[in-house]
Amino acid sequence: MESQQVTLLQRKRAVPHTLVLEHVSPATRLLEKRRQMFEVQEALEQQKMEFNRKEEVFKRREEGLKKKDLELQESLIRFSKFLQENDAKRMHALKKAQDERKTREEKEREVEQLGVAMEELTAHRQQVQQLLHRNIRYQHYLESVLEGADEFHEIGDLILRQATLAATNQDLKEQRNHFGEAAEQTRSELQAYTKTKTDEIVNLNNTISRLKKQLEAYEAESYAQETKKDYSLQVASQKTLEYGQVCMSTDNLFQRCRQRSKVAHGNVTNPLLQLEAIGNFVSDLGAIKELAQKNNVKSSMQSMSRLDKLSVAGDK
């Protein structure tokens, strides 16, 4: 606002001076312009000072805002730490409560299991007592046996002998089962081997039959190929003979053309080159013949034209 007022004031001052300066000397005008420039410079300095003052105020405000922002951030950090600590305490308390609940449940399950185990042990104890009550008569029997046996002095020796005999009997049963299984397996293997070898013999007989048929087919094919080879040799001999005759005829014609032609030909032995030379010779003869015929026709026409002229002159 102050800068705008200064600018309006300068404009108000400049208008009358401009009207007055039109009627003064150039030096006065120069001085007036310098004065106006000085006033403008002062106004600019004042605006600059005002801008610096406002900038300083803004900087102080900005620093105050930054300081408040930092304080607010620190407060937020402290509050966040406080919330985190509360959450950690709450989670720790919850975890502790869960652990205690799990421990209590485990202890309750252990108590239940121990109660069940105790019931099972009690039932087992009763069963053992019943078994002992039933088997006590066997002990009396064994004691009576010991009284009449000289080789056994204690019930343990008698029980050990019975256990040995039972183990031996069990071993003999297992050996019998093992040998029976081995014999059965050997019998099965023999049957499988016999069947396999029988199948192999049948397959080999079939293979022999197939190979015999293939041999007969190969012999027939060999005979056909031999016949074909003989025919091919005959054809090749015939073509060789024809080729020799063609070569001899070509060489004979080449020698005749060479004798009659004025073109010097070397001693060529390649039939293709000889045929080329013969073709050139024949082409030259044909061209010479056509040229001679043309010359004869031309001379005939000239003679006829002279005769026509003479007949016309005689008529005159």
Side-chain angles (χ1 to χ4, degrees):
M1 292 295 292
E2 293 177 357
S3 61
Q4 291 179 358
Q5 291 177 0
V6 171
T7 305
L8 292 173
L9 191 62
Q10 289 177 357
R11 289 179 180 177
K12 289 179 182 180
R13 292 178 181 177
V15 173
H17 285 297
T18 303
L19 295 174
V20 174
L21 290 176
E22 291 179 357
H23 304 287
V24 297
S25 63
T28 305
R29 288 181 181 178
L30 180 60
L31 291 172
E32 183 64 22
K33 292 294 184 182
R34 286 181 179 178
R35 186 184 63 79
Q36 292 177 0
M37 289 177 62
F38 181 72
E39 291 177 355
V40 171
Q41 186 67 29
E42 286 182 350
L44 289 174
E45 289 294 332
Q46 290 179 359
Q47 290 180 1
K48 186 175 180 181
M49 291 174 64
E50 182 67 21
F51 178 76
N52 291 332
R53 184 179 63 80
K54 291 181 178 180
E55 186 179 6
E56 187 68 23
V57 172
F58 290 149
K59 284 183 179 179
R60 288 197 296 271
R61 289 181 180 177
E62 185 179 2
E63 289 177 357
L65 291 173
K66 286 182 179 179
K67 186 176 180 181
K68 290 181 180 180
D69 189 17
L70 290 174
E71 292 176 355
L72 182 61
Q73 289 181 1
E74 289 178 356
S75 299
L76 289 174
I77 291 170
R78 288 195 297 272
F79 183 69
S80 178
K81 287 183 179 179
F82 175 73
L83 291 177
Q84 289 178 357
E85 290 176 357
N86 287 337
D87 290 339
K89 291 178 180 179
R90 183 174 60 84
M91 294 300 294
H92 180 69
L94 291 174
K95 187 175 183 301
K96 186 176 181 181
Q98 290 178 358
D99 293 339
E100 291 178 354
R101 188 182 300 108
K102 289 181 180 178
T103 303
R104 181 176 57 81
E105 292 176 354
E106 289 177 357
K107 293 297 182 181
E108 290 177 355
R109 285 195 295 270
E110 288 179 0
V111 170
E112 292 178 357
Q113 291 175 359
L114 290 174
V116 173
M118 191 175 79
E119 291 177 356
E120 291 178 353
L121 289 173
T122 303
H124 181 67
R125 178 172 171 275
Q126 292 177 357
Q127 291 176 1
V128 170
Q129 287 179 354
Q130 292 176 2
L131 183 63
L132 178 61
H133 181 70
R134 287 197 303 268
N135 293 332
I136 193 67
R137 61 179 178 272
Y138 297 111
Q139 184 177 1
H140 298 322
Y141 172 75
L142 292 174
E143 289 175 354
S144 63
V145 171
L146 286 175
E147 292 177 357
D150 297 334
E151 54 180 327
F152 300 108
H153 302 287
E154 293 182 359
I155 295 175
D157 296 336
L158 187 60
I159 294 173
L160 181 63
R161 179 63 176 171
Q162 191 272 337
T164 303
L165 293 174
T168 304
N169 187 21
Q170 184 66 28
D171 291 337
L172 292 173
K173 288 181 180 179
E174 291 179 356
Q175 290 180 3
R176 184 189 62 184
N177 294 331
H178 176 70
F179 290 140
E181 292 176 356
E184 186 66 25
Q185 184 178 1
T186 304
R187 192 180 299 108
S188 300
E189 290 177 356
L190 178 61
Q191 291 177 357
Y193 179 77
T194 304
K195 185 176 182 302
T196 303
K197 292 303 177 181
T198 303
D199 295 338
E200 289 181 359
I201 292 170
V202 173
N203 292 329
L204 289 174
N205 290 329
N206 294 331
T207 304
I208 292 170
S209 300
R210 187 177 68 255
L211 291 175
K212 285 182 178 180
K213 291 180 180 179
Q214 290 180 358
L215 178 62
E216 293 174 356
Y218 288 153
E219 289 177 350
E221 185 177 0
S222 175
Y223 179 75
Q225 293 293 333
E226 189 71 22
T227 305
K228 188 176 180 181
K229 184 183 74 173
D230 295 337
Y231 177 74
S232 299
L233 290 175
Q234 292 178 1
V235 172
S237 300
Q238 184 66 28
K239 288 185 178 180
T240 303
L241 178 61
E242 292 176 356
Y243 177 75
Q245 293 175 356
V246 170
C247 289
M248 291 177 62
S249 301
T250 302
D251 186 67
N252 188 13
L253 290 173
F254 176 72
Q255 296 299 331
R256 293 177 64 184
C257 293
R258 183 181 178 188
Q259 292 175 0
R260 295 184 180 183
S261 177
K262 294 181 179 181
V263 179
H265 294 284
N267 189 11
V268 180
T269 59
N270 191 350
L272 295 176
L273 297 177
Q274 290 178 353
L275 288 172
E276 184 178 0
I278 293 168
N280 293 331
F281 180 76
V282 173
S283 299
D284 294 339
L285 288 178
I288 293 169
K289 181 179 179 182
E290 290 180 358
L291 182 61
Q293 289 178 355
K294 289 181 180 179
N295 291 330
N296 291 330
V297 171
K298 186 175 181 181
S299 61
S300 299
M301 292 178 67
Q302 289 177 356
S303 299
M304 289 178 67
S305 62
R306 285 198 299 270
L307 290 174
D308 291 337
K309 289 179 180 179
L310 290 174
S311 62
V312 171
D315 292 336
K316 290 181 178 181

